[in-house]
Amino acid sequence: MNIFTYFETQFAAIILQLGEAGQIKKELDISRVVFELPRDQEHGDLATNAAMVLAKPAAMKPRDLAVLFSEELKTIDGVVDVEIAGPGFINLRINPLLWAREISEVLTAAHDYGRNNAGQGANVNIEYVSANPTGPLHAAHARGAVIGDALAGLMAFSGWNVTKEYYVNDAGGQVDILARSAYLRYCEALGDDIEIEAGLYPGEYLKDVGSKLAAKYGDKYHKRPEEEWLSTFRLFAVSEILVGIKEDLKALGIQMDRFASERELVENGAVQKAVDKLKADGHVYMGVLEPPKGKEPEDWEPREQLLFRASNFGDDTDRPLQKSNGSWTYFASDVSYHFNKLERTKGQLIDIFGVDHGGYVKRMKAAVEAMSGQKDMLDIRLCQLVNLMENGKPVKMSKRAGNFVTVRDVIEAVGADVIRFIMLTRRNDQTLDFDYAKVTEHSRDNPVFYVQYAHARACSVLRQSDGVPSEVDLSVLKDPAELAVIKLLSSWPKMVESAARAHEAHRIAFFLVDLASSFHSLWNAGRDNPDLRFMIDDNPVVTAARLQLVKATSLVIATGLNVLSIKALDEM
RNA sequence: GCGCUCGUAGCUCAGCUGGAUAGAGCACUAGACUACGAAUCUAGGGGUCGGGAGUUCGAAUCUUCCCGAGCGCGCCA
């Protein structure tokens, strides 16, 4: 059993026992009680907030509770000292062997160390990327892609049943423009001189689509009116673009479970169905919106339209579902899409959006609340921009000219694993500088390298050994530098679980940097003091224990990287 | 004008859902290479957590009001 759960279990027994004895109230809620690593070494090996958290429900003073608890905690096997500190913290010092035994936990579970059941098999649907199918993925899409995919990996590792989903916006005006742009390229392929007018997509990538259209249809649609070819070309172009997007995702290590089509929702009446449902529940009405304050559009006219009562669910105003021409707004189809996801998932939804969709969060959460009847069925994580840099200077991009940097370009430049890790070295709502030079640099500055190097070093030791013995005396591991690594290793399961619950995959990346740092420190301690080297020629007992520690470290680093779908390197 | 996100060391950022004297890296200063990989490590200085008020045993974290930055604000997606 993991050391933290061990103490939490023991503590639960103590609460029960004290309750039975009438010394404290019975059935106190101990869900907020935690045993954790104190930041400060002076505070011992483990600390608990139990006395402070339980003071109010127990109607006792924290210090008095702490005294009661500490008497009992002292009797737990392996506890060597208990002290009460500050406002009521209880600090435990424990036999180093208890820590060292954590290594056995790691080695036994191996690549499943840290796997947990926080999700208890609940379904969760994570929607990410969802870039418009009008061109290849560009670099900016990579962040949301990685954040969503890493979160999917993390939650799957933590016992959720995850569906990874991409919403294809193949129904709006954007894809008409795509079709017209493809038509031009089609004409070009048939030998016409073309000029790409403003408002169409100028990208070279459509040449290929044009040639394929020419090969398939010959001159059948050449110089024909738009209504003859538009829907055909739209379908064809979207499908071609999606093939490319799927290839890009695959190159990034991403395999979606489902590509959901907006067009299908509109065509099979799902939008109508979702709106009808809202209507039946009284969340929809015909009304007139106030013009937006401050920046009033030139062509504003008050107009009666179909509105969703978003303001009943925390949004600032009600939101239109229908355009003036009678077609659905993007919001309406997205409402139906979320309704569809709720029905399919029977569990929580997570959307990964770019910051530019920040204004959309309230209404979407409002809609999901209205449809599900529950708050918090939808979590939306916004991801901030990525600044592409080359040696500290911004990489120039002109989307208008169609020469933006694609995901493919970046993968070819630095590799998918580097992208995946770097994208997680900032919280999702912080902007991130992605510098081609820095992310491939072999230095302490580069977290990917730093973590991979730690793994490679550990592997190097293992290669030079005669194998890791299975029966060892772990009590010889008691140097502070060794214990520091072990403590981090044993906090891995806890860390994974809380990161999964918080929907924050970046914590994994930060943990790995910490672990790498701690391991590098231990390594270095062996340089200053030969007694601390992993392999000691005339001391097979110590060597054996340390090889297990090295093995455990490499396992946890590899597992952490694996959760993020990054391959650990055995050699640099 | 309103809303959302953010503001933490000179710089780049963490801070485990309210815990102890706020932590890393870079940079700076002083050290460590007869190497289980020095592509690294050790030590040190450096903070009114944007500002004020509030909530309580306890606030970077929660509430509120200011200041500043980014994003968004009917019939684009």
Side-chain angles (χ1 to χ4, degrees):
Chain A
M1 187 188 289
N2 178 270
I3 194 163
F4 297 98
T5 39
Y6 172 69
F7 274 93
E8 277 154 14
T9 308
Q10 293 285 317
F11 184 74
I14 289 172
I15 287 293
L16 195 66
Q17 180 194 329
L18 287 173
E20 292 296 328
Q23 291 183 274
I24 57 169
K25 277 192 189 172
K26 284 190 181 182
E27 291 173 14
L28 287 174
D29 174 17
I30 57 169
S31 58
R32 288 180 60 217
V33 173
V34 291
F35 284 79
E36 55 190 357
L37 296 176
R39 216 193 312 261
D40 190 339
Q41 296 282 348
E42 296 295 306
H43 296 141
D45 292 308
L46 278 178
T48 179
N49 59 355
M52 291 177 297
V53 171
L54 296 178
K56 194 168 278 178
M60 291 175 70
K61 288 181 186 166
R63 297 288 295 205
D64 293 345
L65 266 181
V67 171
L68 269 181
F69 293 158
S70 60
E71 287 305 315
E72 298 300 323
L73 289 167
K74 272 179 196 165
T75 66
I76 295 176
D77 193 29
V79 173
V80 296
D81 188 35
V82 179
E83 62 179 32
I84 301 167
F89 285 100
I90 303 173
N91 297 328
L92 309 176
R93 272 169 226 284
I94 62 179
N95 189 326
L97 183 56
L98 252 62
W99 286 118
R101 282 194 190 131
E102 290 293 294
I103 290 173
S104 308
E105 295 281 321
V106 179
L107 296 183
T108 304
H111 288 287
D112 284 327
Y113 182 65
R115 188 179 287 280
N116 66 90
N117 197 26
Q120 299 184 311
N123 297 327
V124 62
N125 180 297
I126 308 180
E127 182 212 327
Y128 53 108
V129 193
S130 296
N132 287 340
T134 54
L137 293 180
H138 50 264
H141 292 124
R143 190 165 187 195
V146 169
I147 288 172
D149 206 55
L151 179 57
L154 171 60
M155 292 186 77
F157 194 65
S158 299
W160 271 272
N161 179 31
V162 180
T163 300
K164 299 178 284 185
E165 193 155 320
Y166 184 123
Y167 184 43
V168 185
N169 297 128
D170 51 2
Q174 308 268 11
V175 284
D176 288 343
I177 295 172
L178 174 73
R180 291 185 193 111
S181 309
Y183 174 76
L184 269 186
R185 295 298 189 179
Y186 161 75
C187 295
E188 182 182 42
L190 291 175
D192 290 2
D193 280 333
I194 61 159
E195 189 182 334
I196 299 167
E197 56 197 271
L200 294 187
Y201 300 121
E204 299 272 314
Y205 59 88
L206 283 175
K207 281 188 177 172
D208 189 40
V209 177
S211 322
K212 285 184 179 170
L213 281 165
K216 184 170 182 184
Y217 296 110
D219 60 1
K220 182 177 175 190
Y221 295 117
H222 195 216
K223 310 241 190 248
R224 302 300 299 172
E226 183 174 295
E227 52 271 24
E228 286 185 26
W229 49 261
L230 187 69
S231 64
T232 305
F233 276 36
R234 190 170 52 205
L235 205 62
F236 187 88
V238 166
S239 142
E240 283 295 311
I241 297 288
L242 270 180
V243 168
I245 287 176
K246 286 176 189 177
E247 280 169 6
D248 290 346
L249 289 174
K250 191 177 172 195
L252 252 188
I254 296 173
Q255 174 80 49
M256 292 286 175
D257 296 315
R258 186 184 184 104
F259 285 79
S261 159
E262 180 189 7
R263 183 177 50 76
E264 280 177 27
L265 290 174
V266 175
E267 287 178 359
N268 69 19
V271 181
Q272 187 65 54
K273 185 179 151 198
V275 171
D276 286 346
K277 155 130 178 99
L278 286 174
K279 205 178 279 179
D281 295 336
H283 302 314
V284 167
Y285 68 104
M286 291 298 289
V288 181
L289 283 179
E290 296 282 308
K293 296 264 161 56
K295 198 189 74 176
E296 185 165 334
E298 305 266 324
D299 58 347
W300 174 268
E301 283 172 33
R303 174 177 291 124
E304 184 166 75
Q305 54 192 342
L306 196 64
L307 298 172
F308 163 59
R309 290 188 198 277
S311 58
N312 280 0
F313 300 95
D315 200 357
D316 314 299
T317 176
D318 294 338
R319 302 294 178 179
L321 295 166
Q322 248 170 350
K323 301 180 191 171
S324 56
N325 66 7
S327 67
W328 299 114
T329 58
Y330 175 77
F331 176 60
S333 66
D334 214 3
V335 165
S336 83
Y337 173 50
H338 280 77
F339 183 56
N340 178 269
K341 281 199 287 188
L342 280 170
E343 285 192 317
R344 278 191 280 119
T345 307
K346 298 182 174 60
Q348 233 207 338
L349 310 181
I350 300 175
D351 291 348
I352 311 292
F353 283 178
V355 271
D356 52 333
H357 287 60
Y360 204 70
V361 171
K362 276 190 179 182
R363 78 189 66 169
M364 207 61 249
K365 293 188 74 145
V368 168
E369 191 185 330
M371 292 185 293
S372 66
Q374 296 178 63
K375 268 189 179 296
D376 301 324
M377 282 304 282
L378 172 64
D379 183 23
I380 299 180
R381 318 294 299 183
L382 296 180
C383 55
Q384 261 289 2
L385 305 174
V386 176
N387 303 313
L388 280 184
M389 319 275 275
E390 179 80 62
N391 282 312
K393 287 180 192 158
V395 174
K396 288 215 174 85
M397 275 189 279
S398 161
K399 202 174 172 184
R400 196 179 42 200
N403 65 346
F404 47 78
V405 178
T406 63
V407 162
R408 183 61 63 130
D409 294 336
V410 185
I411 294 172
E412 279 165 10
V414 305
D417 282 352
V418 167
I419 298 174
R420 293 188 68 112
F421 196 94
I422 293 294
M423 290 297 174
L424 295 167
T425 54
R426 286 290 112 90
R427 226 189 317 145
N428 55 294
D429 46 18
Q430 289 280 0
T431 57
L432 180 146
D433 289 344
F434 188 99
D435 192 310
Y436 284 107
K438 278 193 178 157
V439 301
T440 49
E441 196 172 86
H442 286 188
S443 80
R444 175 70 183 87
D445 287 351
N446 178 4
V448 203
F449 167 76
Y450 192 63
V451 170
Q452 291 283 22
Y453 182 42
H455 185 264
R457 270 184 147 178
C459 290
S460 165
V461 174
L462 297 173
R463 272 196 302 272
Q464 297 189 35
S465 73
D466 300 323
V468 182
S470 51
E471 295 295 320
V472 307
D473 175 11
L474 288 167
S475 69
V476 298
L477 299 176
K478 52 194 172 192
D479 187 86
E482 291 170 329
L483 291 174
V485 175
I486 294 169
K487 286 177 184 181
L488 273 177
L489 293 177
S490 47
S491 66
W492 163 247
K494 228 181 148 125
M495 213 286 312
V496 170
E497 195 178 321
S498 62
R501 289 186 197 280
H503 301 166
E504 293 190 344
H506 73 270
R507 291 190 200 173
I508 306 294
F510 281 94
F511 173 88
L512 290 173
V513 174
D514 280 351
L515 178 56
S517 170
S518 172
F519 182 71
H520 285 308
S521 282
L522 176 58
W523 185 292
N524 185 252
R527 279 202 305 245
D528 294 341
N529 176 2
D531 293 341
L532 284 176
R533 291 160 73 98
F534 296 120
M535 291 190 284
I536 312 282
D537 286 344
D538 55 359
N539 196 337
V541 174
V542 166
T543 301
R546 288 183 181 160
L547 283 174
Q548 282 209 341
L549 172 56
V550 172
K551 177 68 183 169
T553 305
S554 74
L555 268 172
V556 173
I557 293 177
T559 304
L561 289 172
N562 191 45
V563 166
L564 307 178
S565 299
I566 298 169
K567 203 170 175 312
L569 301 176
D570 294 351
E571 290 179 279
M572 300 305 291

